[in-house]
Amino acid sequence: MRESPGKGGGAIHVIDDANAPALGDIRGAGPDDCIYIRPAATSRKDFSKYWEAAGVALARGAFVSVLTRES
């Protein structure tokens, strides 16, 4: 999912069991971007790759939130 959150122009990325953006989009996220990792994402076979990419995004200044419950 990619949405513009307003004036900042950043992207919102949501990772879960059924949907996830391209790994390059997560890896390339920066200060104006938000990444939300839902609990169901851990069931993905490629979750470790997304986890690593989220770490790169965090180091680049992106906001990364690991959600503790499904909403």
Side-chain angles (χ1 to χ4, degrees):
M1 174 189 298
R2 186 172 172 92
E3 301 172 10
S4 179
K7 293 182 181 179
I12 298 174
H13 303 285
V14 178
I15 303 169
D16 62 20
D17 58 341
N19 299 297
L23 279 166
D25 289 349
I26 298 297
R27 232 178 244 111
D32 292 333
D33 301 316
C34 299
I35 300 168
Y36 295 95
I37 303 172
R38 292 189 171 171
T42 60
S43 67
R44 297 180 64 90
K45 290 182 180 181
D46 58 354
F47 177 72
S48 63
K49 293 178 182 179
Y50 278 97
W51 189 251
E52 183 272 333
V56 171
L58 183 65
R60 294 171 47 91
F63 171 79
V64 178
S65 178
V66 180
L67 305 173
T68 57
R69 61 182 177 165
E70 294 291 337
S71 55

